[in-house]
Amino acid sequence: MSPAQIALLPGDGIGPEVTAAARRVLEQIGATSGLELELEEALIGGAATDAAGDSLPAETLELCRRCDAVFLGAVGGPRWANLEGAQSPEQGLLRLRRELGLFANLRPVPVFPALIPAAPIKPELLEGVDILVVRELTGGIYFGPRQEADAEGQATDTMVYSASEVERIAHVAFRAAAGRRARVTSVDKANVLATSRLWRATVDKVALEYQDIELQHLYVDACAMQILRSPAEFDVILTGNLFGDILSDEASMLAGSLGVLPSASMAEGTFGMFEPVHGSAPDLAGQGVANPLGAILSAAMLLRHSLDLEAEALAVEAAVAATLDEGLTTPDLATSGSGGATTSELTDAIIARID
């Protein structure tokens, strides 16, 4: 069996630190399971702009295309905030998603019992919460035609969706629900937006192929309220690019911190890019306090979705849960009885518990 090839894109800010943690976990899985891994790093984001004048160098894109999966740390920061086009870290990330055909963003929101005190939500509301946000990633307002502000002070962003784009992401959500609690909540703004009316009608059509899956439609404002009022009601949330971006960040508060949450951006088949949901947090870079949990859980998603290693993914997730149960966290999740570990110490503890 040929080695699994994984591209590592550390990026900016705390990206290199959390990528190093994920790398160590993947190497541990390789050592304990006999899985042969080839891990190769490349530049992206502001670091690539500084070194090559382009936030997504051709060499990086070529590496990603020949690998089985990609792991990304984080991109961006104040140093590059005013750059545009090829030099913008955020535009580089959008280009990478587009070039690799990454259309389905999977954002699980697990609630670890040990972290419930860190969440700004009543503890009784968090019992049994396990949400998967399925976000369409290559369409919508982020990719539609836009016009920067003109002389009259008017700017335009256009939300565009086709039925085929909606069908493709809807199938991902329904298939995911079939392996979970068999419920999909499709989120739109169909009372106002034409694209949302297309979205709703198309999701209804796809749902006919999944008779065992319960489908519910919610407007995005109602969904935002329900996520905080009754989060345990949700199983799979299906939504577009803009709404998914906002709702998944809101849902992160159920888990206690953005630093805990992983994500996968999938193409057709098993190829995907895996990254923690958090940003580059440049104010924390180099201090050894960055939370590696989102990155480590993203590595578990890589094992599951791109390498078909379910047992190994479960082993990583169980090690994270066991470590948290013993009260070990980084300072961002510190409560009266836990916290204070460095990035490296928390990673060490998790690796020691991987069985």
Side-chain angles (χ1 to χ4, degrees):
M1 185 175 180
S2 59
Q5 296 182 305
I6 300 172
L8 300 177
L9 312 181
D12 308 316
I14 62 172
E17 296 168 69
V18 299
T19 299
R23 179 176 193 141
R24 291 180 57 202
V25 168
L26 290 171
E27 289 173 341
Q28 177 69 11
I29 288 292
T32 57
S33 68
L35 172 68
E36 190 174 353
L37 297 175
E38 289 185 1
L39 307 172
E40 184 173 345
E41 292 193 7
L43 293 171
I44 194 171
T49 295
D50 289 347
D54 189 334
S55 59
L56 178 61
E59 296 82 1
T60 297
L61 183 57
E62 180 184 352
L63 170 66
C64 293
R65 282 176 168 157
R66 68 172 185 262
C67 284
D68 298 297
V70 178
F71 184 93
L72 173 73
V75 300
R79 285 179 54 194
W80 310 281
N82 297 320
L83 298 180
E84 298 179 357
Q87 292 187 323
S88 164
E90 292 75 18
Q91 288 300 314
L93 179 56
L94 290 177
R95 280 191 289 148
L96 182 62
R97 290 171 177 167
R98 182 171 58 250
E99 292 289 341
L100 298 180
L102 305 175
F103 72 93
N105 186 220
L106 311 180
R107 289 194 178 189
V109 184
V111 174
F112 294 98
L115 297 184
I116 287 178
I121 308 292
K122 293 179 180 178
E124 59 268 25
L125 295 179
L126 296 176
E127 295 180 7
V129 171
D130 180 14
I131 300 172
L132 174 64
V133 179
V134 177
R135 167 191 171 194
E136 200 289 323
L137 201 58
T138 58
I141 200 166
Y142 291 168
F143 287 91
R146 64 170 44 91
Q147 176 63 55
E148 298 295 333
D150 58 21
E152 284 72 40
Q154 179 173 297
T156 304
D157 292 286
T158 308
M159 183 180 290
V160 180
Y161 268 118
S162 66
S164 61
E165 288 175 311
V166 181
E167 286 177 3
R168 184 171 62 169
I169 194 66
H171 280 294
V172 172
F174 281 102
R175 287 195 297 264
R180 292 170 51 90
R181 300 195 305 279
R183 187 177 189 188
V184 171
T185 301
S186 181
V187 178
D188 57 44
K189 193 62 176 170
N191 58 334
V192 176
L193 300 176
T195 48
S196 282
R197 289 189 284 276
L198 171 68
W199 181 283
R200 184 171 293 211
T202 306
V203 171
D204 280 337
K205 178 182 176 182
V206 172
L208 297 175
E209 302 180 36
Y210 300 89
Q211 294 295 321
D212 296 332
I213 307 296
E214 177 187 353
L215 172 63
Q216 173 192 29
H217 293 286
L218 277 182
Y219 295 142
V220 63
D221 42 357
C223 182
M225 178 181 65
Q226 286 296 106
I227 284 174
L228 299 182
R229 187 168 72 177
S230 188
E233 291 184 2
F234 293 99
D235 179 19
V236 175
I237 295 176
L238 164 66
T239 191
N241 209 339
L242 174 62
F243 298 155
D245 195 2
I246 296 167
L247 292 176
S248 55
D249 278 8
E250 180 197 16
S252 73
M253 291 298 96
L254 305 175
S257 169
L258 272 177
V260 176
L261 298 184
S263 76
S265 299
M266 303 300 297
E268 298 283 4
T270 61
F271 180 83
M273 182 170 72
F274 303 84
E275 60 182 301
V277 171
H278 63 70
S280 63
D283 55 317
L284 300 179
Q287 299 179 39
V289 297
N291 188 337
L293 294 182
I296 290 171
L297 292 171
S298 295
M301 293 186 76
L302 186 156
L303 294 169
R304 173 177 291 117
H305 293 288
S306 282
L307 303 185
D308 194 26
L309 296 173
E310 179 66 18
E312 287 80 355
L314 289 172
V316 173
E317 292 163 350
V320 169
T323 302
L324 292 173
D325 285 343
E326 294 187 13
L328 196 64
T329 71
T330 43
D332 61 307
L333 288 171
T335 63
S336 58
S338 67
T342 65
T343 306
S344 180
E345 288 169 345
L346 186 54
T347 305
D348 288 342
I350 292 168
I351 288 174
R353 290 165 176 80
I354 293 177
D355 183 2

